[in-house]
Amino acid sequence: MSVTEPSALNSVMPAVEGTRPDLTPADLVGWIGAFRDGLRANQAPMNRLNVYPVPDGDTGTNMALTAEAVVTELAAAAAAGPVTMASVCQAISHGSLMGARGNSGVILCQILRGITAECRAADAVNGQVLARALTAGSVAAYGAVLKPIEGTILTVARGGAEAAEALVAASPSVSVLAVAAAARVGAAEALAQTPEMLPVLKAAGVVDSGGTGYVVLLDALLRRLDGRPIPEVHAPGTDLAPDPLAADASAHSSDGRKGVEELRYEVMYFLEAPDSSIGGFKDAWAAIGDSIVVVGGDGLWNCHIHTDDVGAAIEVALDIGRPRKIRVTDLHEEVEEERWVREATGTAIVDEPPHVHDRCETAVVVVCSGDGVRRLFYSLGVQRVVSGGQSMNPSTAQLLEAVEACPSDSVVILPNNKNIIAVAEQVGALTEKRVRVIGTRGATEGLAAAMQYDPQGDIEANATSMRAAAASVVSGEVTVAVRDSTSDVGPIFEGDHLGLTRSGGIVVVQRELSDACTGLLSAMVADGHEIVTVIEGDGASAGVTRHITEWLADHRPGVVAEVHSGGQPLYPYLFGVE
């Protein structure tokens, strides 16, 4: 069953009968818990609804992590005192603000804050209050986005709210269950129309991923109210044929500016600033980016933008207040690796060999994914490995936990991902230990740096030698296109193998994995290079690896190939050239 088929969805919903009791504080807690569970169950297909050709979707993951933060906040509130409507609403509001991840998480935060603001004063939520709450959530979400775009979660939330309000207008005493069911139908119908509103969705043959998450929110409410199951999300969400011309046309807005999908970086941070300054702050951001969402109040704001100018996005905040927990994500390289990363609520420190407990002058904390990659780093003497990937970035708290656990007063951090560098750089201010961050952007750079690590050496000497080693590596990777698209090197079809360099983006498109690998190496390996590190991941094979090494022997006879089993997801091969 697909989320884009309202009639099919409606057929699984039992007829609404009777007058289910009004929503209590315990029902709100159960609603959020069911929502978190529904997102966790469906986050992989939700991620695949995103529209980039590489497997980079993380909307489902970001919404699930946001809901996870709310569940944690609710548990803390329950432990602290009586469970009341006010305490539950406060926990949902604060938890979503502090735990929001990505653009989708920030908008979800505002929806939840709008809903709870309407519910807060009620001892129990009846049908009329629920309809007003859904409307308040929709209005809050639109208000948080500087340039609202129809065909997104905003449209779906409004569709659900309007359906709920229409039912209440026709029958003021209608039950909360009937209102929830009506909202769900309205939201699903709006979701099915999102490809007609956004050409990029129609071209990719999908519905909006964030809007899909909103439908899951209503499914979770219905599960709490009468126990009906949360339907499975299927991706792709439509049978529409891809239209490359529509995709190209959607890449630019009507005023000639870049479309959201072309802007390079996602910048997020909390901003401590007077409420009166936020209007001017939004205007300043409007000049440098898009996909702008600013939510919060009472001096604390959660801010999100897509931009090509990271420095300006942060400097604007410094003019009016104090930004903190700054997170910068490279949208061109962001990859979904959730299944290889520990749950955000669990410990980030993975299994460790005996040497990690030996006292040393300088310790090393590494972020990576893949059992083989982890073993390689441990073999080079590092003390702690934190599981992490490009769209499942470890938090500052997780990195701090790893640093504090190291048997040394000096610690070097290897983030191994552009998205994690900014988070890692915050750790030093939170600990009494000396911390240095080497800005490694991938596993091959990290491994080169770790090769120079001396456990008994001074931290500054280690940092200097490790930084130089990382800088000497040319990194590349091969992945698989998840949908049809276009690139500077030609058209891309679903299933093609893409060769990417960290500096040049997609440089090779080939149907066969072996051809993509050798094409990428042809672009990467130049005269003067001596070593090519090959790290095998999911999708690699002995035959393709042999083809790679034989190609190097024939076409780049001056280099030595070193092959390792990494086990990393989504990338059959990682390459490091030195």
Side-chain angles (χ1 to χ4, degrees):
M1 179 181 57
S2 166
V3 293
T4 63
E5 300 169 355
S7 58
L9 287 169
N10 296 342
S11 69
V12 304
M13 299 195 310
V16 178
E17 298 177 353
T19 55
R20 200 277 185 191
D22 298 340
L23 286 173
T24 65
D27 287 325
L28 291 188
V29 173
W31 178 12
I32 296 299
F35 180 44
R36 184 272 314 274
D37 294 343
L39 289 173
R40 282 297 187 194
N42 287 298
Q43 71 185 57
M46 285 176 60
N47 287 340
R48 291 196 295 272
L49 290 173
N50 281 330
V51 294
Y52 295 100
V54 298
D56 66 340
D58 65 348
T59 297
T61 299
N62 282 338
M63 293 184 81
L65 288 174
T66 302
E68 193 77 61
V70 179
V71 170
T72 300
E73 188 81 10
L74 285 167
V83 176
T84 65
M85 188 66 76
S87 69
V88 168
C89 289
Q90 172 61 24
I92 294 173
S93 178
H94 187 260
S96 62
L97 177 64
M98 301 303 292
R101 300 280 191 109
N103 186 43
S104 55
V106 173
I107 294 176
L108 172 61
C109 155
Q110 200 69 349
I111 289 171
L112 293 176
R113 285 166 64 87
I115 290 173
T116 55
E118 190 67 34
C119 296
R120 191 184 302 266
D123 293 329
V125 175
N126 61 21
Q128 290 188 15
V129 174
L130 177 59
R132 292 201 304 269
L134 294 176
T135 297
S138 172
V139 170
Y142 271 93
V145 179
L146 189 63
K147 296 181 179 179
I149 299 175
E150 297 302 333
T152 65
I153 186 175
L154 301 177
T155 303
V156 178
R158 190 182 71 240
E162 289 177 349
E165 293 280 16
L167 180 60
V168 169
S171 180
S173 61
V174 70
S175 71
V176 69
L177 175 57
V179 171
R184 202 271 183 212
V185 171
E189 290 175 347
L191 177 64
Q193 293 302 310
T194 56
E196 302 305 319
M197 301 178 189
L198 280 180
V200 68
L201 295 178
K202 188 171 185 177
V206 299
V207 293
D208 181 67
S209 182
T212 301
Y214 184 85
V215 173
V216 174
L217 175 67
L218 297 176
D219 284 328
L221 176 56
L222 291 168
R223 179 166 182 78
R224 175 66 187 183
L225 289 172
D226 71 351
R228 68 188 69 183
I230 296 177
E232 179 182 354
V233 172
H234 284 183
T238 73
D239 296 323
L240 297 171
D243 180 359
L245 294 178
D248 290 342
S250 69
H252 293 82
S253 61
S254 59
D255 61 3
R257 296 177 60 194
K258 285 185 177 180
V260 172
E261 63 273 15
E262 285 194 11
L263 294 170
R264 182 65 187 258
Y265 299 103
E266 176 186 63
V267 181
M268 292 186 67
Y269 50 74
F270 290 104
L271 173 60
E272 296 176 355
D275 294 6
S276 59
S277 66
I278 297 304
F281 172 77
K282 290 181 179 179
D283 291 341
W285 259 17
I288 61 171
D290 214 323
S291 192
I292 296 168
V293 185
V294 180
V295 303
D298 298 325
L300 180 61
W301 301 83
N302 193 327
C303 308
H304 173 282
I305 186 175
H306 288 177
T307 182
D308 285 329
D309 194 341
V310 175
I314 297 172
E315 289 170 3
V316 172
L318 294 172
D319 290 339
I320 63 169
R322 175 175 174 261
R324 57 186 177 88
K325 293 188 177 180
I326 298 170
R327 177 184 176 189
V328 179
T329 300
D330 187 331
L331 296 173
H332 291 192
E333 296 185 354
E334 185 180 65
V335 175
E336 169 25 38
E337 294 177 342
E338 157 69 359
R339 70 187 181 90
W340 288 87
V341 183
R342 290 184 183 266
E343 299 294 341
T345 55
T347 177
I349 302 176
V350 300
D351 297 339
E352 304 157 344
H355 80 261
V356 303
H357 303 294
D358 297 339
R359 186 73 185 173
C360 57
E361 179 65 26
T362 301
V364 175
V365 169
V366 171
V367 181
C368 70
S369 64
D371 290 344
V373 176
R374 182 175 67 235
R375 286 193 295 270
L376 284 171
F377 276 111
Y378 275 138
S379 73
L380 295 173
V382 308
Q383 282 67 34
R384 294 292 186 276
V385 174
V386 177
S387 289
Q390 286 177 295
S391 66
M392 278 296 296
N393 306 150
S395 66
T396 303
Q398 289 173 309
L399 292 178
L400 177 61
E401 179 186 6
V403 166
E404 295 291 6
C406 286
S408 174
D409 295 328
S410 300
V411 182
V412 171
I413 302 178
L414 300 177
N416 294 335
N417 190 292
K418 283 184 179 180
N419 303 341
I420 302 172
I421 294 173
V423 174
E425 288 176 341
Q426 297 184 97
V427 174
L430 304 174
T431 177
E432 294 182 359
K433 295 188 177 186
R434 300 169 68 198
V435 175
R436 298 293 181 269
V437 178
I438 311 299
T440 51
R441 300 166 296 171
T444 52
E445 292 180 13
L447 289 168
M451 288 285 290
Q452 302 301 314
Y453 167 52
D454 176 7
Q456 302 309 320
D458 174 75
I459 188 173
E460 301 301 346
N462 268 304
T464 298
S465 60
M466 294 170 75
R467 188 171 288 111
S472 70
V473 177
V474 179
S475 298
E477 54 214 12
V478 176
T479 190
V480 180
V482 295
R483 57 180 55 87
D484 295 354
S485 186
T486 58
S487 72
D488 290 341
V489 294
I492 297 171
F493 297 98
E494 181 179 350
D496 281 348
H497 289 88
L498 312 178
L500 306 94
T501 64
R502 295 197 177 276
S503 58
I506 299 173
V507 298
V508 174
V509 178
Q510 291 287 346
R511 198 62 189 171
E512 298 300 325
L513 174 59
S514 57
D515 293 336
C517 290
T518 54
L520 179 59
L521 288 170
S522 178
M524 292 174 60
V525 185
D527 293 342
H529 286 137
E530 300 176 347
I531 300 172
V532 175
T533 300
V534 181
I535 302 180
E536 300 171 313
D538 277 3
S541 69
V544 173
T545 300
R546 183 170 62 252
H547 179 82
I548 291 169
T549 56
E550 290 177 352
W551 184 91
L552 287 170
D554 291 341
H555 296 84
R556 301 293 190 271
V559 304
V560 175
E562 297 182 353
V563 179
H564 303 280
S565 176
Q568 69 276 359
L570 301 178
Y571 292 106
Y573 289 94
L574 302 178
F575 299 117
V577 181
E578 303 173 65

